[in-house]
Amino acid sequence: DTAVSQTPKYLVTQMGNDKSIKCEQNLGHDTMYWYKQDSKKFLKIMFSYNNKELIINETVPNRFSPKSPDKAHLNLHINSLELGDSAVYFCASSQDMIGTDTQYFGPGTRLTVL
Amino acid sequence: AQTVTQSQPEMSVQEAETVTLSCTYDTSENNYYLFWYKQPPSRQMILVIRQEAYKQQNATENRFSVNFQKAAKSFSLKISDSQLGDTAMYFCAFMEYGNKLVFGAGTILRVKS
């Protein structure tokens, strides 16, 4: 039983296209996150949602729009894709937002923009 | 802003030996949390161990233990009896307010047979 799942695992697309990555967690957690891992393996948070409400937005370009239809899902939609968007995108979840909560990561989605 | 520094880009260890990965961080907060995550070639991010800053006792999980030096802002990971399956990239991470994880640049660990 996968705790945090993402679809698709791989995504190859052309510059200028719009694409979405889906994330689902079956842990009953209230908080979900999106992280970006660049080509040098550096990981940085993009967004976090708690109970479907946006909590953290790390000055990500507004071409990136997260959407949380319910607590178990946090999708990432990217408009007008650019070459620099190529990266691995990780979804994560935690029980809540307090410091004791460990974050559990999904398997990642490798996005390649050509 | 908090920063996390991992000064060893790559390390190697023989199977069954012990290796220590270094991590330092910078913060003005008194209460915080520190983590080590492992990323094997499969790309999955796996929690290895966590430490609460208010606890003086070093965390231990089977073959993995930490040396937490709060005054020095140091948080190293010791892996005992290294196994081939330990080959991975290891990330040190600091948890800020709001549950935002700040990661170091990572250390690639190769376990050799």
Side-chain angles (χ1 to χ4, degrees), chain A residues 2 6-7 32 41 61 63 68 74 85 88 97 100 104:
Chain A
T2 306
Q6 293 178 229
T7 51
M32 296 183 74
K41 301 287 190 182
R63 297 182 297 104
S68 182
L74 180 62
D85 298 333
V88 179
M97 287 176 55
T100 52
Y104 296 92

Side-chain angles (χ1 to χ4, degrees), chain B residues 12-104:
Chain B
S12 295
V13 65
Q14 284 296 129
E15 212 175 351
E17 305 264 304
T18 295
V19 65
T20 299
L21 308 184
S22 302
C23 174
T24 58
Y25 57 93
D26 187 29
T27 183
S28 55
E29 296 180 23
N30 193 41
N31 293 320
Y32 49 87
Y33 300 83
L34 294 159
F35 302 82
W36 279 97
Y37 279 87
K38 164 185 175 180
Q39 187 177 38
S42 67
R43 195 171 75 203
Q44 180 74 50
M45 291 288 288
I46 302 164
L47 177 69
V48 175
I49 200 164
R50 55 178 268 159
Q51 173 82 42
E52 290 88 349
Y54 63 86
K55 288 187 178 175
Q56 291 195 333
Q57 188 172 5
N58 289 323
T60 300
E61 286 288 338
N62 301 315
R63 298 182 294 108
F64 298 88
S65 61
V66 298
N67 183 0
F68 173 49
Q69 303 286 330
K70 191 173 182 180
K73 295 180 183 171
S74 168
F75 181 61
S76 60
L77 174 70
K78 185 170 92 170
I79 306 174
S80 305
D81 185 26
S82 297
Q83 300 174 1
L84 294 177
D86 296 333
T87 292
M89 189 137 185
Y90 287 80
F91 291 95
C92 178
F94 173 97
M95 181 173 285
E96 292 187 347
Y97 172 79
N99 239 23
K100 183 170 78 169
L101 275 173
V102 177
F103 286 91

Side-chain angles (χ1 to χ4, degrees), chain A residues 12 15 29 49 57:
Chain A
V12 181
M15 271 176 59
H29 289 169
Y49 269 73
N57 181 341

